[in-house]
Amino acid sequence: MGLAEKRLAATIQTDSLPKFESEIQELAGYPISVAINWETFTAFDSYPLSRLENYVFNDVKDAIKKICQDAIGKEALQEKVTCIHITNTDKSEAFQMELKDNTLFLTERLYGDTFSNHMTNMIVDYLEPLL
């Protein structure tokens, strides 16, 4: 990780992440903590970090908005999700999503020319049957 990646990671940690947490709390109606495995993002170039901010945050926020469109959805989500844990990988077979111990684990593949992240519909389709 070079200076550009360090600066971008610091900006996301101090600016974008608190804003993201505030937005999802407002949508859900309760606090949801967000844990990011920063080492898995800063091990590469700046693309995973910018994709975290530009894609992952937006897709998670949109999924929460869709699930929490009414009181029933808000209550169901609050019973099952208190934390979102985001990790990055460069291995396509590690790309996955899991709900365990009230934590939604998202392992994204944000490195390289062809990247994969859990889009809004994927998150909603995964979570709704578990709620």
Side-chain angles (χ1 to χ4, degrees), residues 7-93:
R7 285 182 173 146
L8 182 55
T11 299
I12 293 170
Q13 289 173 6
T14 59
D15 297 340
S16 302
L17 181 58
K19 180 182 176 197
F20 172 63
E21 287 179 311
S22 175
E23 290 171 343
I24 62 174
Q25 178 176 333
E26 185 177 323
L27 291 168
Y30 71 97
I32 300 174
S33 64
V34 178
I36 297 174
N37 185 340
W38 292 104
E39 294 80 31
T40 63
F41 285 89
T42 58
F44 304 102
D45 55 25
S46 64
Y47 286 118
L49 287 165
S50 62
R51 290 171 177 158
L52 169 69
E53 186 175 28
N54 296 323
Y55 294 96
V56 178
F57 284 1
N58 287 329
D59 286 329
V60 169
K61 184 172 58 175
D62 289 345
I64 290 173
K65 181 179 182 179
K66 188 169 184 178
I67 292 169
C68 294
Q69 62 184 305
D70 55 26
I72 296 169
K74 287 180 180 183
E75 184 178 320
L77 190 69
Q78 186 171 6
E79 290 176 6
K80 297 286 187 172
V81 179
T82 58
C83 180
I84 299 169
H85 187 274
I86 305 170
T87 302
N88 181 45
T89 184
D90 61 344
K91 296 171 178 48
S92 59
E93 65 275 7

Side-chain angles (χ1 to χ4, degrees), residues 78-127:
Q78 186 171 6
E79 290 176 6
K80 297 286 187 172
V81 179
T82 58
C83 180
I84 299 169
H85 187 274
I86 305 170
T87 302
N88 181 45
T89 184
D90 61 344
K91 296 171 178 48
S92 59
E93 65 275 7
F95 177 72
Q96 64 182 358
M97 187 172 6
E98 180 182 21
L99 181 60
K100 180 179 174 186
D101 300 326
N102 292 340
T103 299
L104 176 62
F105 292 91
L106 298 174
T107 302
E108 310 291 9
R109 192 174 63 84
L110 303 176
Y111 177 71
D113 293 336
T114 57
F115 68 97
S116 300
N117 70 289
H118 292 94
M119 296 178 289
T120 301
N121 64 327
M122 296 168 78
I123 298 168
V124 171
D125 290 349
Y126 175 77
L127 280 178

